[in-house]
Amino acid sequence: LHTDTQKPADAALHILQSIYGYDAFRNQQAEIVNHVIGGGDALVLMPTGGGKSLCFQVPALVRSGTAIVVSPLIALMQDQVMALRQNGIKAAFLNSSQSGIEVNGVESALMNGELDLLYVAPERLMMPRMLDLLSRAPLALFAIDEAHCVSQWGHDFRPEYIKLSILHERFPDIPRIALTATADGPTQREIIERLSLQQARVFNDGFDRPNIRYRISENQGNAREQLLRFILNEHEGEAGIVYCLSRKRVDEVAQWLSGKGLTALPYHAGLGNDVRQQHQERFLREDGVIIVATIAFGMGIDKPDVRFVAHLNLPKSIEAYYQETGRAGRDGLAADAWMAYGLQDVITLRQMQGNSTAEEGRKRLEQHKLDAMLGLCELTTCRRQALLRYFDDNLDRPCGNCDNCLTPPETWDATLAAQKALSCVYRTGQRFGVSYLVDVLLGKEHERISQFGHDKISTYGIGSELNATEWRTLYRQIIARGLLKVDVEGYGSVQLTDSARPVLKGDEQLTLRKMVKLSKKSKERKNR
Ligand code: ADP
Ligand code: ZN
């Protein structure tokens, strides 16, 4: 396969066409592939279905030696390796499920330079014996898949990933390519730092999944029925995933949907391995299977024609929402991300966070992530724009393919309230979090406020038209709109952005989604 006489770019294209049967590279694939072939390090941010695998597989075939692929998805290694072998690529994997004989066979193939790609679980890779073998084997590159697992602030943290920085120390001359489909700004910086990728070129393909239609509605007390109607009206006989928060709810929903004549299978950590395996198999192989799952399901599942992902509960962060909904429509055809959430979800998630043994900083961060998620739910403007903004990505115009773009929701004129909220941020020096700001607006008497002299500023006590919950909702909504940004790495203080100025100055009106329960006072005010 190694075509030393050709230029690297030609060799890469040749492999793409002759081995994979594709005509051309997509988006930034060609640049990434050539950069890695040339020996450079790379951090690749590409949405699910964007084609990350080829970014390391093609260089693996062009460069001499074996490419070591680090992946947390042990369960899927076998499938991936089989698929590669079917294309005539010499691939193997090493994980804890293998016998000594199998392991020996793979290891000697590695040492003899007979492998193009070797998939390894991170804990396996870190074993001294393995590192020693690698230092004597001809290596093409290291690929670190699902690189966001290295982030302690991320939602998929894997402690084994932290140790991967050793690769840079032990193998400074071997190029490394880290890949992920979910990483906001702080997570990207953490990946770079923890994996010593300071010299790496960053390829950011953006996060947009234009074929996914985002729809979020409130649970009207009958979320199951809402879901059933959605499936029957729009996706009968099609494959989908339904996420629930608890195992109990998963079982209950799967059973209920089955009772309505759908093929709905439960999937969660409380089921036996064989049952889970069997349900996953059916989902992958049969048509029209719906998996009802806790978040345990889906990471790395490569099923291109999942037509909908439904949430019967609020995910705990926008990252989780993005990743879970991202499992829909990997084939590029139209797909739905549908959600019904309720206030009870917020309470449950808050309780789970409150009871966790995590340190305070971590809890605070989780709190902000949940607030951001709620903010996305309560938006009245384009959801895709807000979603992308959360990942520091940008979409110039409303997308036309989310519920808010398609059927604009009921709103109220929140300009005056927003002005109060924003100027309270300004007057207190942009150093405080939402709870504090709400206390100032409501004129609460407590020591901290008087210590800072905030009982003397003009915004103290000017917010009696809304109650604390409503002010929080308002803050959440204007954060989601991008008028304020939260310093999540610090103490959750909020700061004004450039978009706040026109609202503060009265040059721009702000309309927000009607709150579920407006206080009496504000209702009266509205009716006048
Ligand atoms: P990711 O890992 O980013 O989610 P994959 O690498 O699994 O995405 O690719 C998604 C799908 O797109 C796969 O079916 C893959 O074979 C296909 N694909 C990737 N690159 C190309 C390309 N250049 N041309 C055509 N199909 C491609
Ligand atoms: Zn939109």
Side-chain angles (χ1 to χ4, degrees), residues 16 22 24-26 29 46-54 302 330:
L16 182 77
Y22 298 141
F25 284 111
R26 277 184 192 161
Q29 275 177 336
M46 202 184 265
T48 308
K52 284 186 286 301
S53 317
L54 288 186
D302 187 8
R330 290 178 66 154

Side-chain angles (χ1 to χ4, degrees), residues 410-424:
E410 253 195 285
T411 57
W412 63 294
D413 181 353
T415 313
L416 186 63
Q419 284 169 341
K420 291 180 180 180
L422 292 169
S423 68
C424 192

Side-chain angles (χ1 to χ4, degrees), residues 150-295:
V150 80
S151 163
Q152 275 185 304
W153 297 127
H155 59 297
D156 275 333
F157 177 54
R158 311 261 170 148
E160 320 86 77
Y161 259 65
I162 296 273
K163 304 203 186 90
L164 292 175
S165 66
I166 208 175
L167 296 178
H168 177 54
E169 292 152 29
R170 293 276 300 252
F171 309 94
D173 300 327
I174 310 290
R176 291 168 304 143
I177 171 171
L179 311 102
T180 176
T182 32
D184 58 8
T187 309
Q188 289 169 30
R189 289 192 284 280
E190 209 181 339
I191 294 172
I192 289 172
E193 187 172 328
R194 290 196 187 276
L195 296 180
S196 306
L197 284 170
Q198 286 83 359
Q199 308 300 321
R201 214 172 123 189
V202 179
F203 295 90
N204 190 343
D205 234 2
F207 291 90
D208 193 15
R209 301 286 312 279
N211 59 317
I212 297 182
R213 175 172 295 179
Y214 298 101
R215 296 155 68 175
I216 302 178
S217 59
E218 262 177 75
N219 175 355
Q220 271 127 28
N222 58 346
R224 277 192 330 199
E225 313 268 351
Q226 288 170 257
L227 173 70
L228 180 66
R229 228 174 304 132
F230 161 72
I231 297 176
L232 292 180
N233 286 343
E234 304 182 39
H235 293 289
E236 200 169 0
E238 295 180 332
I241 307 174
V242 178
Y243 285 108
C244 306
L245 213 53
S246 69
R247 297 174 188 181
K248 190 165 147 259
R249 180 97 167 129
V250 164
D251 290 332
E252 175 192 298
V253 170
Q255 206 165 37
W256 188 80
L257 289 175
S258 301
K260 301 289 174 187
L262 299 170
T263 312
L265 307 172
Y267 188 103
H268 58 68
L271 295 168
N273 245 332
D274 43 336
V275 176
R276 285 213 307 261
Q277 190 65 34
Q278 193 196 334
H279 289 180
Q280 177 172 323
E281 283 292 301
R282 288 189 61 189
F283 178 66
L284 292 174
R285 317 266 177 257
E286 287 174 31
D287 285 336
V289 174
I290 298 166
I291 286 276
V292 186
T294 52
I295 49 168

Side-chain angles (χ1 to χ4, degrees), residues 438-509:
V438 170
D439 284 350
V440 173
L441 283 168
L442 292 176
K444 288 270 165 67
E445 290 170 22
H446 62 64
E447 213 176 315
R448 245 180 115 209
I449 292 184
S450 44
Q451 252 170 21
F452 285 110
H454 291 154
D455 50 352
K456 312 225 160 43
I457 60 177
S458 59
T459 50
Y460 181 74
I462 57 163
S464 58
E465 72 269 36
L466 300 179
N467 65 28
T469 313
E470 290 162 342
W471 279 116
R472 277 172 197 284
T473 304
L474 182 111
Y475 270 112
R476 222 158 37 218
Q477 293 185 352
I478 60 183
I479 289 167
R481 284 288 184 93
L483 303 189
L484 290 173
K485 64 172 193 299
V486 181
D487 179 7
V488 285
E489 284 163 292
Y491 285 85
S493 60
V494 290
Q495 283 136 28
L496 301 170
T497 67
D498 289 343
S499 325
R501 203 168 302 136
V503 175
L504 262 175
K505 291 202 316 200
D507 293 342
E508 205 172 281
Q509 265 209 342

